[in-house]
Amino acid sequence: AEKIVTVLGIKPVRTERMARNKSDKKRRRRRTQKQKQKEELSHEWNFVSDAGPGCYIARSDIPRQHSSTGTTHKDSMDWILGFEDIDPRDFYGQDVPDLAMDPEEQTLTICNIHATTRVCYVTVYDTVVRGKDGEILPAGITFDNAGEKQSCVTFIVLCPPRTFAHLCYLDVPPDQSLEDVQMDSDVQDWNQHPNP
């Protein structure tokens, strides 16, 4: 049963309804705050590395620190060697591949000399891959068409226009060459979702 209370001679109010309205307002406020936090995080970073072992994502447009807390993302891009702005005129008349390996430095680089942002998927099989600080990037596993297990590291990179994305170092044994490294890649113009 609802109680009716007279407060300082003012008309009666229903205490249960007031309490319910207050709790509804608090719930809505909490929901709004949580929604804002979710939106902020999804704009800044939307990948959990534990969900995809051996998968590394790089975007030059995502900050490495959370804007409101200042904390570094666990899934930040500390592994990438770096993004390098380039002038396509420096490569005039040359056939620049989408993916290049430097035999001296043993690095793997995505080359985007185009005026568009490109999305790049690169998987390196059965090769030790090292990040910026020389630390081994933990690999995931996959199975080939014959059902054989292989270790693999996959990079998903959003490469800005006129940029080289230097991904990693490849540990190639002295008795092998970079040409022996098994890789798959898919590089194409990025079609941004209209309502991400």
Side-chain angles (χ1 to χ4, degrees):
E2 288 187 57
K3 291 183 183 177
I4 298 179
V5 178
T6 303
V7 180
L8 300 175
I10 303 175
K11 65 181 179 178
V13 288
R14 300 182 188 278
T15 54
E16 283 185 26
R17 186 179 302 152
M18 283 177 55
R20 197 171 43 236
N21 286 342
K22 279 186 179 180
S23 68
D24 286 346
K25 283 181 185 177
K26 283 183 184 177
R27 209 175 301 124
R28 279 194 300 268
R29 194 175 314 128
R30 267 192 307 248
R31 197 176 310 135
T32 303
Q33 288 171 343
K34 284 182 183 178
Q35 185 63 29
K36 282 182 185 176
Q37 288 172 343
K38 272 186 179 178
E39 286 173 8
E40 187 175 306
L41 283 173
S42 70
H43 288 301
E44 292 191 30
W45 203 253
N46 62 356
F47 177 69
V48 178
S49 60
D50 293 341
C55 188
Y56 299 88
I57 297 179
R59 293 181 62 159
S60 66
D61 62 334
I62 300 289
R64 292 183 186 204
Q65 289 190 334
H66 190 280
S67 63
S68 62
T69 65
T71 57
T72 302
H73 288 289
K74 178 183 174 198
D75 303 317
S76 68
M77 300 178 302
D78 292 338
W79 53 269
I80 193 166
L81 305 182
F83 289 94
E84 175 188 359
D85 294 330
I86 56 108
D87 185 344
R89 294 176 294 189
D90 294 341
F91 302 95
Y92 182 77
Q94 296 180 38
D95 186 25
V96 178
D98 292 329
L99 195 60
M101 293 185 281
D102 182 328
E104 292 174 15
E105 298 291 324
Q106 291 194 330
T107 56
L108 179 62
T109 300
I110 293 171
C111 307
N112 182 6
I113 64 168
H114 305 282
T116 57
T117 299
R118 306 199 87 193
V119 63
C120 314
Y121 304 90
V122 180
T123 300
V124 180
Y125 300 96
D126 296 326
T127 302
V128 174
V129 175
R130 294 183 183 272
K132 179 172 62 178
D133 296 326
E135 290 189 30
I136 294 175
L137 299 180
I141 60 164
T142 188
F143 294 88
D144 65 14
N145 292 336
E148 297 295 320
K149 186 175 171 180
Q150 291 181 285
S151 68
C152 66
V153 172
T154 297
F155 300 102
I156 302 170
V157 182
L158 192 62
C159 192
R162 301 176 186 97
T163 302
F164 284 178
H166 303 289
L167 300 180
C168 63
Y169 298 103
L170 301 171
D171 271 1
V172 179
D175 61 333
Q176 294 181 0
S177 72
L178 286 176
E179 286 130 19
D180 296 325
V181 176
Q182 183 188 357
M183 281 191 273
D184 284 325
S185 65
D186 181 20
V187 179
Q188 54 191 290
D189 287 346
W190 181 46
N191 295 316
Q192 184 175 12
H193 191 283
N195 189 15

